[in-house]
Amino acid sequence: MTENTQQTPASNPELPTQYAPAEVEGKLYERWVERGYFEADATSDKPPFTVVIPPPNVTGSLHLGHAFEHTLIDALTRRKRMQGYETLWQPGMDHAGIATQNVVERELAKEGKSRHDLGREAFIDRVWQWKGESGGQISGQMKRLGDGVAWSRERFTMDEGLSQAVQTIFKKLYDDELIYRAERIINWCPRCLTAISDIEVEYQDDDGELVSIRYGEGDDSIVVATTRAETMLGDTAVAVHPEDDRYRHLVGKDIELPLTGRRIPVVADEHVDPEFGTGAVKVTPAHDPNDFEIGQRHGLPSLAVMDEHAIITAHGPFQGLDRLEARSAIVGALRAEGRIVAEKRPYVHSVGHCSRCKTTIEPRLSMQWWVKVGPLAKAAGDAVRDGRVKIHPQEMEKRYFDWVDNLHDWCISRQLWWGHRIPVWYGPNGEIVCVGPDEQPPTGEGWTQETDVLDTWFSSGLWPFSTLGWPEQTESLAKFYPNSVLVTGYDILFFWVARMMMFGLYAMDGTPPFHTIALHGMVRDQFGKKMSKSFGNAVNPLDWMDKYGSDALRFTLARGANPGVDVPIGEDWVQGSRNFANKIWNATRFALMNGATIEGELPDPSQMSATDRWILSKLNKTVAEVDAFYEDFQFSKLSDALFHFAWDEVFDWYVELSKTTFFAGGEQAKVSGRVLGEVLDVMLRLLHPVVPFVTETLWTSLTGRESVVVADWPKDSGFRDEAAEQEIELVQQVVTEVRRFRSDQGLQPGQKVPAELTVTGTALAPHEAAIRQLLRLQPAGDGFHATASLPVAGATVALDLSGTIDVEAERKRLAKDLGAAEKEKAQANAKLGNEAFLAKAPDNVVDKIRTRLAKADADIARITAQLANLPQS
């Protein structure tokens, strides 16, 4: 714990009277970056510690969730750097295909243009221009927060190196027959005009309608129910369960499909639930994933009846209508023919929406590129099951396994222009050639490149190794892969984490991309509600940083961070953390002005007072406790431990107990000054990863050294002194009990009272002066009359309150409070004694009344004691 004491002694420059975050944070961060503290050396012989940033989308700015996540990662990396690790926090941004294209298209629309007016190449140039102008916003916010990232290594998923990695792994997967092209049902966004993956579909309950339609005539009729009547134009069968006797006579027959003039077969398929609805379902293979599978099993044709804009293309009176317009028109036409058997409106059901633009998605048969995820997902599951990768908290493993064990093949093609263009060329005679990064694409008449680009998650799935130079075997890759830990929200466990696991194990010869996955929850408002602009409760983290300082926001976020659990946050809590930063500042300033120093060796315990030994024992316990919490990603608990040690133990007790020693001067004051310096040195280093700015300012003032960023992380020296702890606990008991009595009597904290202090226990004898100072006890002079006597913890405090309070007024106040408490008790007893009431009242109501009774009893006992302790008039 004293390894830093061998450096240059402290200069202890005088600190300003107040801490002003805005005046120091920016300058400190610039200094840290200029000195290269956050850079990582791949040739170092230090053990590596690697974390990647979950790359924020280039389209946006950091929200409170980013600030939360970055605070946790920064705390981990700052601590590891101080522990002597070669620490790399890898920064960068994601190109965010759909989101970025939407943003630039909106900008073009303001000019009355579309991307098609520009053409593909000019449009991509326009996106790069937008990225250059707007992409720096996130970097600036990260610096404001204090993110200790290696800026020289910043990457972008569309930069040259990462694009080479994308092309390399696509070619490898293609050659290994793990990428293929096929016509299947996909999730289609009619607004973004692209396929989206299953995990990019957000489901919500919408009001719709459920209509039951009669197909066929007479005994050969059958009723089906649907919420999407417009798709009936593409029906190619009706399906029933093979064991359903109601429809056994219809299986194999054709029945009339209303409005179309077509006849369709009735097929038997075990997918159908005979207990649900009528037990018969319409089959539309081109517009429903389950229907597509039924169609494949029974050789049914797939008829697409909508275009990419969700406009009806089927011949007839509905052609050219939007899907919702067609739904209403078709139901009206069926009703006119007498084929509507039942209608339920509104009918609340779960509907998928595009996560980017919130448009209702449309299942659509389409030719797309796919990843065969079976073997990749199995490897990702095995890596967690066999312990190579730990998920924290462990209870999140079930969610992970539920996902990777049931993955469907992944549609990776997107009908966009911004993104990594699929490296496949089509020949004039149906040839398909996949081209690697070092290969020349085929040339000649009739050869064209695939126009689709890859899903954004395809490139971000390579992030842990592509950012280190893969596919080249770089020094950085050898040093910093695999990552030590991934810190991310449980909400992208499926989007991103599973992708990285699959690709990392595949590309890196079975080595997973990280040792530990540490999942955190979402930031919510102080009432536990999701933060959203639409709810009016969204917070720009910069606003709170401007108002209270970055340390205050960081400490609030870290203090709420329990693994895997959502984090409520309110402005009052950030203000409280600002007060904590101010407390650290003011207390350290006072300590520096009153002898705190790190100069020289720590004195031998035999030279120390019990108070000195007590605080050093508490300090070492705190070091051990904080280390254990860090290893278990318990940010809330470690922040709480530091808060209570700093505020309660150091500032409220040690500094106050030591004031008499400091004011007296002499050798004992020098010893306590050195102990206080040691405590502040270690405490500021412990606090630094969470609150880096205020601790940097204070630590460098205390020590005169370069920076706490590169200081040694404190170690538990093993020093414990249980006897000293017990001794100071007795002091605390005396002070706390008498303070409580003073408060009960209505005395102000600073109000002095004549008193006799009699110490009957030897442990308290050395602390008599400190006890008197803390309790504002004046010597008992002439005319002293003890009106209250408090025996507590080996001491007796006799107080003369005759001249400090209005006894009669206080007696009347307490008598009034006593009457109210007795009335409350009588009412509670009356209810609890009423058998009729107890028989009818819910358990929670009865419990509340019992709680009221217990409180009334406690109040009566307290007030009665206060009355007894009042001076006799």
Side-chain angles (χ1 to χ4, degrees):
M1 199 171 65
T2 59
E3 65 273 16
N4 271 313
T5 60
Q6 302 305 314
Q7 302 176 33
T8 307
S11 58
N12 287 357
E14 186 173 341
L15 291 165
T17 55
Q18 291 184 325
Y19 177 49
E23 295 178 12
V24 301
E25 290 179 350
K27 295 175 183 176
L28 286 181
Y29 192 86
E30 287 178 10
R31 186 189 309 159
W32 293 337
V33 173
E34 287 170 2
R35 293 179 178 178
Y37 292 155
F38 305 140
E39 295 302 324
D41 181 4
T43 65
S44 165
D45 58 1
K46 296 179 182 178
F49 182 82
T50 316
V51 182
V52 294
I53 193 173
N57 289 351
V58 68
T59 53
S61 58
L62 295 189
H63 52 65
L64 207 54
H66 288 119
F68 170 57
E69 184 169 80
H70 289 205
T71 294
L72 305 187
I73 299 174
D74 197 42
L76 288 177
T77 53
R78 283 179 183 270
R79 173 175 175 261
K80 286 295 183 180
R81 189 178 293 112
M82 295 171 76
Q83 286 182 313
Y85 286 79
E86 193 61 41
T87 302
L88 169 60
W89 182 9
Q90 174 66 54
M93 285 181 283
D94 193 293
H95 66 280
I98 296 176
T100 304
Q101 182 157 316
N102 284 347
V103 169
V104 178
E105 285 193 87
R106 284 197 293 270
E107 293 296 313
L108 286 174
K110 294 176 184 177
E111 304 170 13
K113 298 177 183 178
S114 74
R115 61 181 164 120
H116 300 285
D117 294 324
L118 272 65
R120 185 171 189 136
E121 297 305 318
F123 176 77
I124 292 174
D125 288 343
R126 181 68 177 262
V127 179
W128 277 108
Q129 177 186 340
W130 176 89
K131 190 261 180 186
E133 295 170 353
S134 304
Q137 183 178 2
I138 290 175
S139 299
Q141 291 171 318
M142 290 171 62
K143 292 172 182 176
R144 279 292 311 278
L145 191 64
D147 287 1
V149 299
W151 287 112
S152 68
R153 293 172 172 266
E154 186 175 12
R155 304 305 298 268
F156 180 55
T157 49
M158 285 284 287
D159 69 26
E160 184 177 351
L162 270 64
S163 295
Q164 182 184 21
V166 168
Q167 192 171 352
T168 299
I169 201 162
F170 186 98
K171 170 69 172 174
K172 179 174 170 59
L173 288 162
Y174 182 86
D175 289 347
D176 288 345
E177 299 183 351
L178 293 173
I179 283 182
Y180 62 95
R181 189 173 184 241
E183 189 176 43
R184 290 188 174 182
I185 293 286
I186 48 92
N187 303 300
W188 181 263
C189 177
R191 159 62 185 81
C192 297
L193 297 179
T194 182
I196 61 175
S197 65
D198 290 344
I199 53 178
E200 291 172 299
V201 178
E202 293 180 348
Y203 288 90
Q204 66 184 50
D205 287 341
D206 287 356
D207 286 343
E209 60 180 348
L210 180 68
V211 294
S212 298
I213 310 168
R214 178 172 53 82
Y215 287 12
E217 301 292 343
D219 291 341
D220 288 347
S221 67
I222 195 167
V223 175
V224 299
T226 182
T227 58
R228 301 171 67 225
E230 68 278 9
T231 62
M232 66 159 292
L233 301 176
D235 287 358
T236 57
V238 172
V240 298
H241 193 274
E243 304 301 322
D244 194 333
D245 290 337
R246 291 173 295 174
Y247 305 117
R248 196 180 297 276
H249 68 289
L250 289 177
V251 174
K253 290 186 178 181
D254 288 346
I255 60 175
E256 181 186 351
L257 177 65
L259 305 181
T260 66
R262 290 191 290 113
R263 295 186 69 80
I264 58 176
V266 177
V267 299
D269 195 279
E270 291 188 352
H271 169 77
V272 179
D273 180 1
E275 303 298 324
F276 183 77
T278 64
V281 297
K282 58 193 287 299
V283 182
T284 320
H287 293 280
D288 184 274
N290 293 323
D291 293 2
F292 177 78
E293 297 297 332
I294 294 174
Q296 293 290 295
R297 288 193 288 272
H298 296 277
L300 302 174
S302 297
L303 300 180
V305 296
M306 276 180 262
D307 67 9
E308 60 185 6
H309 297 279
I311 302 299
I312 300 298
T313 58
H315 294 297
F318 312 108
Q319 187 174 7
L321 294 179
D322 170 82
R323 56 183 166 168
L324 298 182
E325 296 172 332
R327 181 177 301 170
S328 178
I330 288 170
V331 170
L334 290 168
R335 189 183 297 112
E337 289 190 3
R339 290 191 174 274
I340 300 296
V341 176
E343 295 180 72
K344 186 175 182 180
R345 188 184 299 111
Y347 178 73
V348 179
H349 62 130
S350 182
V351 177
H353 296 260
C354 173
S355 62
R356 301 295 181 185
C357 69
K358 312 308 177 187
T359 301
T360 300
I361 62 102
E362 191 65 45
R364 185 169 188 250
L365 186 63
S366 181
M367 184 68 76
Q368 301 285 344
W369 286 93
W370 304 80
V371 171
K372 185 185 295 182
V373 299
L376 302 176
K378 182 181 183 304
D382 290 345
V384 174
R385 286 189 168 96
D386 64 23
R388 282 176 289 158
V389 178
K390 304 288 186 184
I391 293 181
H392 191 278
Q394 191 174 2
E395 54 264 28
M396 286 287 181
E397 284 185 1
K398 183 180 185 302
R399 295 182 65 174
Y400 177 80
F401 292 134
D402 285 347
W403 179 254
V404 298
D405 292 347
N406 297 285
L407 268 179
H408 299 295
D409 284 1
W410 173 19
C411 177
I412 55 172
S413 45
R414 299 290 180 267
Q415 290 64 55
L416 305 170
W417 286 356
W418 172 245
H420 296 98
R421 194 166 174 180
I422 292 176
V424 167
W425 272 255
Y426 302 110
N429 299 311
E431 302 97 330
I432 298 179
V433 176
C434 180
V435 176
D438 299 322
E439 300 171 350
Q440 291 296 320
T443 56
E445 187 175 350
W447 283 94
T448 58
Q449 186 180 356
E450 170 64 72
T451 56
D452 289 354
V453 300
L454 288 165
D455 179 8
T456 296
W457 298 103
F458 189 96
S459 52
S460 60
L462 315 181
W463 192 249
F465 51 94
S466 64
T467 53
L468 298 173
W470 187 90
E472 300 300 323
Q473 298 304 306
T474 64
E475 287 183 326
S476 290
L477 188 66
K479 178 75 173 180
F480 297 114
Y481 186 93
N483 287 190
S484 307
V485 61
L486 173 72
V487 180
T488 191
Y490 62 69
D491 59 322
I492 56 173
L493 182 61
F494 315 132
F495 285 90
W496 189 44
V497 179
R499 309 294 192 213
M500 288 189 289
M501 286 286 284
M502 291 192 295
F503 282 164
L505 289 158
Y506 174 74
M508 299 300 292
D509 300 321
T511 302
F514 17 72
H515 297 301
T516 302
I517 301 167
L519 298 171
H520 59 73
M522 304 296 101
V523 176
R524 297 181 177 272
D525 71 12
Q526 59 188 318
F527 306 108
K529 190 175 181 180
K530 180 180 178 182
M531 284 192 171
S532 167
K533 290 181 180 178
S534 61
F535 295 154
N537 62 352
V539 174
N540 182 344
L542 287 178
D543 292 342
W544 282 351
M545 286 192 278
D546 288 343
K547 194 170 182 180
Y548 302 110
S550 298
D551 285 333
L553 176 62
R554 288 171 62 115
F555 192 72
T556 305
L557 291 166
R559 205 171 176 193
N562 290 299
V565 179
D566 288 347
V567 182
I569 185 173
E571 185 169 0
D572 288 350
W573 304 344
V574 184
Q575 186 174 354
S577 295
R578 188 272 313 273
N579 294 344
F580 179 52
N582 287 344
K583 181 75 170 180
I584 300 171
W585 181 273
N586 293 333
T588 304
R589 182 173 178 272
F590 171 86
L592 290 176
M593 294 170 64
N594 287 275
T597 179
I598 65 161
E599 188 171 351
E601 294 289 340
L602 198 62
D604 188 83
S606 63
Q607 299 176 270
M608 300 178 189
S609 67
T611 309
D612 294 333
R613 298 195 305 276
W614 162 74
I615 196 63
L616 289 177
S617 185
K618 287 285 190 179
L619 176 66
N620 278 282
K621 286 183 176 180
T622 301
V623 171
E625 191 175 29
V626 168
D627 274 333
F629 287 143
Y630 262 115
E631 295 305 315
D632 200 34
F633 305 101
Q634 297 281 358
F635 294 98
S636 177
K637 291 182 179 179
L638 72 89
S639 299
D640 260 351
L642 289 169
F643 175 86
H644 289 296
F645 175 73
W647 196 305
D648 301 345
E649 309 288 8
V650 179
F651 304 145
D652 280 359
W653 284 108
Y654 181 71
V655 169
E656 293 299 322
L657 286 169
S658 301
K659 279 183 178 178
T660 53
T661 301
F662 290 140
F663 296 161
E667 288 303 314
Q668 193 58 53
K670 292 180 181 178
V671 170
S672 293
R674 179 63 188 88
V675 169
L676 180 54
E678 179 77 6
V679 171
L680 291 176
D681 171 24
V682 173
M683 183 192 75
L684 292 170
R685 283 185 279 148
L686 288 174
L687 281 164
H688 172 73
V690 182
V691 284
F693 295 106
V694 68
T695 51
E696 172 80 341
T697 306
L698 294 174
W699 190 84
T700 52
S701 294
L702 171 70
T703 66
R705 296 170 187 160
E706 181 183 347
S707 173
V708 70
V709 177
V710 289
D712 294 332
W713 180 252
K715 295 177 182 177
D716 176 9
S717 70
F719 178 80
R720 302 288 190 275
D721 194 324
E722 298 298 332
E725 290 192 36
Q726 292 172 13
E727 184 171 323
I728 300 305
E729 283 175 12
L730 290 177
V731 176
Q732 291 173 324
Q733 288 178 35
V734 172
V735 173
T736 301
E737 188 62 32
V738 177
R739 278 177 173 172
R740 183 182 295 115
F741 175 79
R742 287 172 54 104
S743 176
D744 288 343
Q745 302 307 315
L747 296 177
Q748 296 300 313
Q751 189 171 352
K752 294 183 178 180
V753 180
E756 288 181 344
L757 174 60
T758 305
V759 175
T760 56
T762 57
L764 290 175
H767 306 285
E768 183 173 344
I771 292 172
R772 281 189 169 277
Q773 171 69 24
L774 289 169
L775 291 174
R776 305 294 190 266
L777 302 182
Q778 286 183 319
D782 294 339
F784 175 81
H785 174 63
T787 59
S789 181
L790 300 175
V792 55
T796 300
V797 182
L799 303 169
D800 183 354
L801 304 179
S802 57
T804 57
I805 60 173
D806 184 334
V807 176
E808 287 307 313
E810 186 66 10
R811 194 182 302 281
K812 288 179 181 179
R813 183 185 71 81
L814 290 172
K816 182 179 178 181
D817 291 346
L818 181 61
E822 288 173 338
K823 182 179 179 181
E824 175 74 2
K825 178 178 180 177
Q827 290 175 342
N829 274 327
K831 288 188 176 181
L832 294 173
N834 186 336
E835 295 296 334
F837 170 78
L838 293 176
K840 295 179 181 179
D843 290 344
N844 65 317
V845 172
V846 176
D847 287 342
K848 285 182 180 178
I849 295 171
R850 289 187 176 125
T851 301
R852 283 168 48 194
L853 177 60
K855 183 179 183 302
D857 281 333
D859 287 345
I860 291 169
R862 175 179 55 81
I863 297 168
T864 301
Q866 288 178 242
L867 282 166
N869 281 316
L870 280 176
Q872 298 301 312
S873 55

